[in-house]
């Protein structure tokens, strides 16, 4: 006869409520690791999927995922000249916050070097990739934009032609994919008045200089569009990403680029690690510590619950001992209840997690490794937390049944 | 049977405390109970009845004296001569003032657990538990929990449990205290019938003077000393 089951059956309501409580606590522990996994996954999804072997970034910076990086767009031509490089693409990334349909729209803008990169690697849920160099975008579904929807960013209006999912930046914002040209346009969007004022001030600067006095035509030239002024550099990209051909020597290509003094170079894995050790590292530590704390709290709460459950049964335990039950029978009763409580709590945590976590604003990923690790922790907690109850039960004297 | 007596308590003495705080709860207490004999132990509160009962029940060993069951020495003073837990399980049955059933087990399970603890298979235990409950008129309440039974019914279940392992001796501590006089008498008669039928020695500690005619022998205890009352 399984005394643990019999006792649970008799106090089913209380036991179920206790299990639900433990389950919810465990769900938070489970969620913590899920949130951590989600952050890692979200942060690295872009790097893992974009299909780059090498990232060229601004000199002495750690790339667009760690800090601001600026490289000239024409860097791709230099990169393409290196033996073994198959493709070189400009990459632009920046975060914007605008209003759309009266609601806040916060989005990480990623520029794809169209037509080399039309976004074929972006996992689409619906719609299509970017078919033209302007005014189209692929939106992550967390941005709450619908297929065919038009949004105005700066002076231009962009049509959502594709919807993707799980494309989140390390900051937790949904990603919108545009062409590099559009992404730069969005980033450096300035009002008509600002453009006019800049042209005037440019002309004034030329007028004041000797050059303007010697060559008056320059004054007229300076008042033209920025793109028409050769002295002004075109807007810069965040980085240039390279894809190497089969058999290309990664180390050799890296060494060549490392010799250029205006840029820094990382492998895709290097950029990934920089990302993880940068913005994600503190989050990881914070969540890790919180998870450890919660695990301890769960163990203490479980120990107290099991101790209380044991206290309720002291008379029955004394009686069992009086009629000759061995300590093992008593120990088994408490240990089995602890394990049932732990397993049930774990099951409830998993079930509730499956229902609740998808509603979280950020992804909560329950990996099999994490679930297994938590299951082992729960088993250990269940056994350890039953020690207090077992100790109390073993102290019970059969005499106490007579009182 | 190895001996004429189911249980023998010889010259038991129990001292609590030491030095100035020393109290003798039981002195030179002796009792012999034969197989199938039912004896009463009477005495006022604090006379040492429960001390005697827990001593012969191998729960609270005496300071000195000897206890034999089936002629075999169990305790020589406080010194156990055998595994007391195993002897309690095999040879002794207990019934208390309050029925002392395990609240989370049904009537049948309360009897069954005593059998399973003693090594019976769950199937055999279940069968025997039902037989015992039927014998005591509790067959139709076998699946009821203690809280659903009256005081008398609970005592019947407790007696069934005490009988489960066919004990040599049943020790009952005021088993009728919580029952009315009619039910109390019924329970006492039940003990007598079972003792005679199963050949079990029964020692009942009681205050109840109204059912003394059911006993084969009556002992009285006062200030820790036991004396046999002549019937």
């Amino acid at each position: 006869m399984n005394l643990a089951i019999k006792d649970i059956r008799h106090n089913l309501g209380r036991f179920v409520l206790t299990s639900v409580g433990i389950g919810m606590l465990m769900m938070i522990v489970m969620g913590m690791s899920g949130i951590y996994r989600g952050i890692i996954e979200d942060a690295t999804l872009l790097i893992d999927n974009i299909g780059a072997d090498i990232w060229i970034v601004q000199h002495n910076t750690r790339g667009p995922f760690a800090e601001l990086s600026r490289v000239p767009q024409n860097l791709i031509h230099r990169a393409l000249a290196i033996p073994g490089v198959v493709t070189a693409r400009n990459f632009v990334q920046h975060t914007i916050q605008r209003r759309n349909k009266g609601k806040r729209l916060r989005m990480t803008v990623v520029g794809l070097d169209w037509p080399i990169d039309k976004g074929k690697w972006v996992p689409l849920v619906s719609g299509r990739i970017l078919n033209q160099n302007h005014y189209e975008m692929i939106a992550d579904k967390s941005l709450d934009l619908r297929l065919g929807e038009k949004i105005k960013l700066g002076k231009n209006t962009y049509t959502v032609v594709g919807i993707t999912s799980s494309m989140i930046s390390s900051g937790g914002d949904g990603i919108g994919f545009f062409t590099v040209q559009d992404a730069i346009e969005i980033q450096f969007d300035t009002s008509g008045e600002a453009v006019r004022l800049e042209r005037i001030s440019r002309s004034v600067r030329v007028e004041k200089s000797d050059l303007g006095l010697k060559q008056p035509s320059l004054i007229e030239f300076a008042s033209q569009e920025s793109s028409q002024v050769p002295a002004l550099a075109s807007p810069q990209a965040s980085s240039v990403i390279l894809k190497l051909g089969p058999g290309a020597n990664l180390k050799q290509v890296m060494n060549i680029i490392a010799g250029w003094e205006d840029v820094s170079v990382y492998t895709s894995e290097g950029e990934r690690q920089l990302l993880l050790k940068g913005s994600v590292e503190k989050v990881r530590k914070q969540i890790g510590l919180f998870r450890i704390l919660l695990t301890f709290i769960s163990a203490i709460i479980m120990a107290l619950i099991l101790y209380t459950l044991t206290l309720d049964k002291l008379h029955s335990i004394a009686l069992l001992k009086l009629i000759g039950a061995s300590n093992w029978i008593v120990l088994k009763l408490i240990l089995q209840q602890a394990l049932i409580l732990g397993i049930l709590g774990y099951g409830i945590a998993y079930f509730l997690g499956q229902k609740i976590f998808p509603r979280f604003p950020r992804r909560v990923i329950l990996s099999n490794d994490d679930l297994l690790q938590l299951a082992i922790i729960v088993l250990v907690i269940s056994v350890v937390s039953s020690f207090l109850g077992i100790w109390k039960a073993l102290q019970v004297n059969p005499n106490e049944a007579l009182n | 049977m190895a001996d004429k007596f189911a249980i023998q308590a010889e010259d038991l003495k129990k001292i609590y405390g030491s030095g100035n705080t020393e109290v003798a709860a039981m002195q030179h207490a002796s009792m012999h109970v034969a197989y199938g004999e039912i004896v009463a132990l009477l005495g006022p509160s604090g006379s040492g009845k429960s001390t005697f009962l827990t001593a012969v029940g191998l729960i609270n060993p005496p300071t000195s004296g000897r206890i034999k069951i089936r002629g075999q020495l169990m305790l020589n003073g406080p010194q156990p001569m055998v595994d007391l837990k195993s002897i309690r399980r095999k040879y002794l049955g207990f019934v208390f003032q309050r029925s002392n059933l395990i609240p989370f087990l049904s009537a049948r399970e309360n009897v069954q657990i005593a059998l399973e603890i003693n090594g019976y298979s769950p199937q055999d235990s279940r069968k025997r538990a039902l037989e015992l409950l039927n014998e005591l008129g509790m067959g139709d309440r076998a699946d009821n929990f203690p809280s659903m039974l009256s005081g008398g019914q609970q005592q019947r279940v407790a007696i069934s449990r005490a009988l489960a392992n066919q004990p040599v001796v049943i020790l009952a501590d005021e088993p009728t205290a919580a029952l009315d006089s009619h039910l109390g008498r019924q329970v006492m008669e039940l003990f007598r019938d079972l003792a005679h039928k199963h050949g079990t020695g029964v020692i009942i500690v009681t205050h109840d003077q109204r059912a003394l005619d059911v006993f084969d022998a009556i002992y009285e205890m006062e200030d820790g000393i036991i004396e046999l009352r002549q019937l």
Side-chain angles (χ1 to χ4, degrees):
Chain A
M1 186 186 307
N2 190 311
L3 291 172
I5 299 277
K6 299 288 179 191
D7 184 38
I8 290 167
R9 176 194 64 180
H10 194 247
N11 298 295
L12 192 61
R14 190 177 65 165
F15 194 83
V16 167
L17 275 179
T18 307
S19 303
V20 169
I22 292 284
M24 292 179 91
L25 198 62
M26 281 179 191
M27 183 190 74
I28 296 171
V29 180
M30 204 179 263
M32 281 294 147
S33 59
I35 288 169
Y36 168 64
R37 285 281 163 226
I39 287 171
I40 299 284
E41 190 80 8
D42 288 347
T44 56
L45 201 62
L46 189 66
I47 295 177
D48 291 343
N49 281 271
I50 204 164
D53 295 318
I54 289 173
W55 290 73
I56 307 175
V57 303
Q58 184 178 332
H59 185 57
N60 278 344
T61 74
R62 290 164 186 271
F65 303 111
E67 58 184 311
L68 196 67
S69 167
R70 292 275 172 266
V71 292
Q73 288 189 57
N74 58 17
L75 183 63
I76 55 171
H77 304 302
R78 254 200 284 169
L80 277 171
I82 302 169
V85 175
V86 176
T87 60
R89 289 175 276 163
N90 280 308
F91 175 82
V92 173
Q93 179 182 288
H94 56 88
T95 300
I96 59 167
Q97 185 170 316
R98 308 285 161 88
R99 292 197 75 77
N100 182 46
K101 294 182 286 188
K103 287 194 290 185
R104 191 187 71 153
L105 176 67
R106 191 175 165 82
M107 164 169 51
T108 294
V109 173
V110 168
L112 307 177
D113 203 347
W114 199 93
I116 306 166
D117 183 359
K118 294 179 178 178
K120 276 183 184 167
W121 55 271
V122 179
L124 290 176
V125 173
S126 59
R128 58 169 174 80
I129 56 174
L130 303 179
N131 276 354
Q132 60 186 48
N133 197 19
H134 284 295
Y135 315 129
E136 287 187 348
M137 71 175 286
I138 298 168
D140 182 77
K141 65 178 180 185
S142 68
L143 294 171
D144 202 21
L145 298 172
R146 274 170 297 181
L147 205 61
E149 189 171 341
K150 294 180 188 301
I151 59 165
K152 190 166 169 60
L153 299 170
K155 294 183 199 66
N156 301 319
T157 301
Y158 300 88
T159 305
V160 179
V161 296
I163 300 288
T164 182
S165 71
S166 308
M167 279 293 173
I168 309 286
S169 70
S170 59
D173 303 311
I175 296 177
F177 295 93
F178 300 80
T179 62
V180 164
Q181 301 304 324
D182 286 347
I184 288 173
E185 194 108 347
I186 293 165
Q187 186 177 14
F188 296 103
D189 171 55
T190 42
S191 68
E193 180 63 6
V195 171
R196 194 179 65 79
L197 290 172
E198 169 55 21
R199 283 185 194 169
I200 291 170
S201 61
R202 208 186 293 151
S203 300
V204 170
R205 284 198 298 273
V206 176
E207 278 171 14
K208 282 181 179 173
S209 69
D210 286 347
L211 200 63
L213 291 172
K214 288 172 186 167
Q215 291 181 293
S217 63
L218 280 178
I219 299 168
E220 191 186 340
F221 199 58
S223 63
Q224 289 181 338
E225 280 180 37
S226 300
S227 58
Q228 303 296 315
V229 183
L232 295 176
S234 57
Q236 295 180 307
S238 303
S239 63
V240 166
I241 51 180
L242 309 182
K243 180 85 185 154
L244 303 187
N249 189 328
L250 179 75
K251 204 172 173 185
Q252 210 168 27
V253 176
M254 289 283 289
N255 283 338
I256 292 169
I257 300 169
W260 300 349
E261 291 185 358
D262 60 332
V263 291
S264 291
V265 62
Y266 299 101
T267 60
S268 206
E269 180 54 28
E271 190 66 10
R272 193 176 194 274
Q273 289 308 316
L274 282 174
L275 170 67
L276 293 180
K277 284 176 185 160
S279 56
V280 178
E281 178 69 2
K282 280 182 185 166
V283 178
R284 187 182 71 83
K285 281 184 181 164
Q286 185 122 337
I287 289 175
L289 286 171
F290 198 54
R291 195 178 169 211
I292 291 168
L293 205 62
L294 272 174
T295 308
F296 271 112
I297 291 169
S298 307
I300 291 167
I301 290 175
M302 266 190 82
L304 286 174
I305 287 171
L306 289 164
Y307 184 68
T308 311
L309 287 173
T310 308
L311 287 186
D312 288 350
K313 286 193 286 287
L314 283 187
H315 193 263
S316 298
I317 289 168
L319 195 59
L320 283 167
K321 287 187 173 187
L322 185 71
I323 61 175
S326 63
N327 280 338
W328 171 240
I329 289 177
V330 176
L331 187 144
K332 213 165 64 174
L333 162 66
I334 298 165
L335 195 60
Q336 281 176 343
Q337 280 196 340
L339 289 171
I340 292 170
L341 191 65
I343 292 166
L344 207 59
Y346 182 85
I348 289 169
Y350 183 75
F351 176 77
L352 288 178
Q354 295 289 329
K355 300 281 172 202
I356 294 172
F357 293 154
R359 295 171 199 277
F360 276 35
R362 290 201 63 163
R363 279 205 299 163
V364 181
I365 297 171
L366 302 177
S367 74
N368 286 340
D369 285 351
D370 287 344
L371 287 173
L372 182 68
Q373 188 192 50
L374 184 63
I376 293 167
I377 290 172
V378 168
L379 279 180
V380 172
I381 285 179
S382 302
V383 173
V384 171
S385 59
S386 67
F387 287 169
L388 194 62
I390 288 170
W391 170 80
K392 184 67 186 170
L394 294 182
Q395 303 295 309
V396 174
N397 193 306
N399 258 339
E400 291 172 34
L402 305 175
N403 300 329
Chain B
M1 292 174 189
D3 197 88
K4 177 187 168 188
F5 295 108
I7 189 163
Q8 293 161 275
E10 293 170 355
D11 202 20
L12 302 187
K13 188 176 182 182
K14 181 72 183 181
I15 307 287
Y16 288 111
S18 60
N20 290 338
T21 59
E22 192 174 288
V23 176
M26 185 168 63
Q27 303 180 62
H28 311 297
S30 296
M31 184 186 281
H32 296 78
V33 181
Y35 292 100
E37 186 181 22
I38 176 167
V39 304
L41 179 60
L42 306 177
S45 294
S47 59
K49 301 189 302 290
S50 294
T51 303
F52 177 79
L53 206 67
T54 53
V56 294
L58 309 179
I59 300 166
N60 186 15
T63 311
S64 66
R66 293 187 306 168
I67 295 167
K68 291 179 184 172
I69 293 175
R70 301 173 85 206
Q72 188 188 353
L73 186 59
M74 301 289 148
L75 278 168
N76 191 2
Q79 187 65 40
M81 308 306 288
V82 289
D83 174 17
L84 298 183
K85 202 178 272 183
S86 144
I87 296 296
R88 274 208 306 269
R89 199 161 56 216
K90 284 181 189 163
Y91 298 142
L92 300 178
F94 296 89
V95 180
F96 312 101
Q97 184 173 343
R98 287 180 295 135
S99 61
N100 261 324
L101 298 176
I102 296 171
F104 55 83
L105 299 180
S106 68
R108 174 185 50 79
E109 290 163 345
N110 261 285
V111 182
Q112 193 177 329
I113 187 70
L115 289 155
E116 284 191 22
I117 284 172
N118 206 22
Y120 285 83
S121 71
Q123 291 76 17
D124 290 348
S125 305
R126 185 188 170 94
K127 195 177 159 198
R128 169 127 178 88
L130 282 171
E131 282 169 8
L132 281 164
L133 287 170
N134 279 325
E135 187 180 340
L136 273 81
M138 289 296 296
D140 57 337
R141 310 304 296 269
D143 291 326
N144 287 26
F145 286 98
S147 59
M148 299 154 81
L149 302 173
S150 70
Q153 288 171 329
Q154 288 185 31
Q155 277 304 27
R156 281 169 184 268
V157 177
I159 294 167
S160 303
R161 184 182 62 200
L163 284 169
N165 289 308
Q166 295 172 297
V168 175
V169 180
I170 290 180
L171 304 167
D173 190 4
E174 302 198 35
T176 59
L179 309 177
D180 62 38
S181 59
H182 178 67
L183 263 178
R185 182 166 185 87
Q186 271 190 350
V187 169
M188 290 300 194
E189 284 173 352
L190 187 62
F191 272 116
R192 181 195 57 196
D193 296 344
L194 291 170
H196 292 170
K197 183 180 171 188
H198 295 281
T200 310
V202 178
I203 302 173
I204 298 178
V205 168
T206 182
H207 275 109
D208 195 348
Q209 302 276 344
R210 291 166 298 186
L212 293 181
D213 57 303
V214 303
F215 294 99
D216 299 319
I218 298 168
Y219 288 83
E220 288 182 304
M221 192 165 194
E222 193 153 5
D223 297 331
I225 300 167
I226 290 179
E227 282 183 3
L228 179 65
R229 184 201 277 187
Q230 296 303 319
L231 291 173

